[in-house]
Each structure stands twice: as structure tokens, then as C-alpha cells.
Amino acid sequence: MSILKLDENDIFLKKILDAPLGQVVTVLGENLNCKICINLIEQNTPKPGTKFERKIVVSADELPIIRAIIKFDRNQLPRLVVNELLQKRSLVGTILNRYSILNDKKVISDNFDKNRKKFYRIYEIQSHGRILFEINEEIKLDHLDLIRKKYHL
């Protein structure tokens, strides 16, 4: 399903989906009247080797809004970026911006669950045609709606 097939009235969801890497928290903060938090839940290697998974949750008013699994292969990234990722202190977008690594978001798939309470998206972060990260996102639309109603947005 293309982003163009989203509810045309849901400009806020479009802003979230169109946000550049590392800017989702800013978009949420500019559009919601509540505390926004981003937490690195876990980072591990699914199998011994060079591939890693990083799990994050973005919350608004203590409700999880976005859950993401970020996959990367340390052999595809500059050593300085890998070192920072392995320290688990900074987010992917922050690290790429720090080293001025140009990147593009290429959406692989996106769709709603059958009740339209969740929106799923898989995309790649690429630089000069090389895949740096694959990101699997789940956006909890029901939680987003609760916050909108609570703050009359």
C-alpha cells in the first residue's frame, strides 16, 4: 500500500512517515502536547557475526507510538559509525548526521493491519546506492488517536 493511499485527512500521519531519519521525535514533539521519549530497548546479534538488530520504542505521554527494529551489517558501515552504534548511546539518525553521511529512505512495503489500528512499514536507509540499514516499523494508530483525543488535537 502506498503512502498516497492513506486517509487524505491524516496530515499528521503523513508528516510522521515523511520525516527524515532522526526527525520523527521532532515531528511528534511539534505536533503533540505531551512528553516524547525514545528508548533503545535492545541491541544484539541474532547470530554470531557481523549483523546486528537494534530495537527502539518511541513513546508519547508514556504510550508506545512507534516500535522499530533496525537491522545493520557492520561490514557495510564506516568503522566510526559502527563504534558508536555498538556503544548504544546514540540513535542511527544522530550518528549519520554527525558524520555527514548523506542518506535516503527507500520504502519497501507499507500496510495497515486489518483493523487499521497499526501501520507497518519496512524501509531501507541507503547512501550512494548502498544499503546501510533496514528498518521495520510499527506505528500504533490507536495510541496516536488516544493522545489526539486527550489533547484535543
Side-chain angles (χ1 to χ4, degrees), residues 29-135:
E30 290 173 349
N31 289 274
L32 299 175
N33 288 333
C34 62
K35 184 179 176 184
I36 308 298
C37 294
I38 186 163
N39 294 307
L40 174 61
I41 304 300
E42 174 183 357
Q43 179 171 297
N44 59 35
T45 307
K47 297 178 184 175
T50 63
K51 296 186 180 190
F52 289 83
E53 285 187 359
R54 176 181 265 209
K55 297 178 183 178
I56 64 163
V57 174
V58 178
S59 301
D61 209 21
E62 298 186 17
L63 287 173
I65 300 296
I66 301 171
R67 295 183 192 272
I69 298 173
I70 303 161
K71 298 176 184 179
F72 62 96
D73 184 333
R74 64 193 269 164
N75 290 336
Q76 297 298 315
L77 298 167
R79 183 173 296 159
L80 291 171
V81 171
V82 172
N83 290 342
E84 284 205 43
L85 287 167
L86 296 179
Q87 290 174 16
K88 304 177 189 176
R89 290 188 207 146
S90 297
L91 300 170
V92 169
T94 303
I95 295 168
L96 293 180
N97 289 337
R98 185 175 297 132
Y99 294 106
S100 302
I101 297 174
L102 298 175
N103 60 80
D104 296 307
K105 187 186 298 184
K106 180 183 176 192
V107 176
I108 305 301
S109 68
D110 56 357
N111 57 55
F112 290 95
D113 71 342
K114 65 179 181 175
N115 298 320
R116 295 182 69 89
K117 291 185 178 185
K118 295 178 184 174
F119 185 78
Y120 299 99
R121 178 169 70 160
I122 299 172
Y123 60 95
E124 296 172 342
I125 300 301
Q126 300 182 355
S127 181
H128 304 290
R130 188 174 64 189
I131 299 169
L132 303 179
F133 301 94
E134 180 183 286
I135 301 175

